[in-house]
Amino acid sequence: MSRACAENLLRLLQQVLDNLRNSNVEKGANDERSRFWTVYQKVASQHDNEFLEHYDGDMDIVLIFSGLFSAVNTAFIATMGPNSATTTDALLTQIIMLMVMNSHGTPITGNYPLPVPPAYSNGQVWFQTLAYASLSFSLLAAFGAVLGKQW
């Protein structure tokens, strides 16, 4: 930047500062503009407060609903898992059979494969997929409501 340009800029800033110092505009003066902004600020703050009260209540409702829905959905998901009692029963039966064979002196030479759990049908897979998706969206809604309340 050249020296002349810097001097012009400095002179312009000095004029602006002088004009601001010599102005007669005061905060709270009774001219039309200051009354407009005072009324505007009052109405805007009232509108904002009503808006926040309304949506704060809505976010509370979303939090309660999503929490209850997630709890019920989790209970259903917990019961949809594989039945571990069937596998445990099969393993205990194999252990008892091997112990009996060993006690009779029979050599244990056979291959004893672990039981294969039953396969899920297409309907069960779809149901579990929808249950996990609904749980995910419910938790996402709760997370959004918490973020909205903290904002």
Side-chain angles (χ1 to χ4, degrees), residues 7-151:
E7 288 176 1
N8 285 337
L9 183 60
L10 186 61
R11 194 171 333 140
L12 180 62
L13 288 174
Q14 188 63 36
Q15 287 175 356
V16 169
L17 185 60
D18 291 338
N19 284 337
L20 287 174
R21 284 183 184 154
N22 295 331
S23 73
N24 58 2
V25 177
E26 295 178 14
K27 189 173 184 176
N30 289 332
D31 63 350
E32 289 295 319
R33 287 184 181 169
S34 65
R35 277 188 285 164
F36 169 77
W37 288 113
T38 304
V39 170
Y40 173 78
Q41 184 177 5
K42 182 179 175 183
V43 170
S45 65
Q46 181 182 9
H47 174 73
D48 289 344
N49 289 339
E50 289 173 2
F51 177 83
L52 289 174
E53 285 177 15
H54 174 71
Y55 284 104
D56 188 51
D58 286 351
M59 284 185 268
D60 285 338
I61 292 170
V62 168
L63 274 172
I64 291 169
F65 175 76
S66 63
L68 291 174
F69 182 79
S70 296
V72 170
N73 198 3
T74 303
F76 280 119
I77 289 173
T79 61
M80 288 189 299
N83 188 0
S84 62
T86 306
T87 305
T88 304
D89 291 344
L91 289 173
L92 286 174
T93 304
Q94 283 184 356
I95 291 171
I96 291 171
M97 185 175 19
L98 291 172
M99 288 174 65
V100 168
M101 288 172 62
N102 193 23
S103 69
H104 288 272
T106 309
I108 302 173
T109 58
N111 187 10
Y112 300 100
L114 294 176
V116 178
Y120 289 113
S121 68
N122 286 340
Q124 287 174 322
V125 170
W126 273 103
F127 186 75
Q128 286 184 356
T129 302
L130 290 176
Y132 280 107
S134 65
L135 178 63
S136 300
F137 285 124
S138 175
L139 293 175
L140 184 65
F143 179 69
V146 166
L147 286 180
K149 285 187 71 65
Q150 290 181 355
W151 179 46

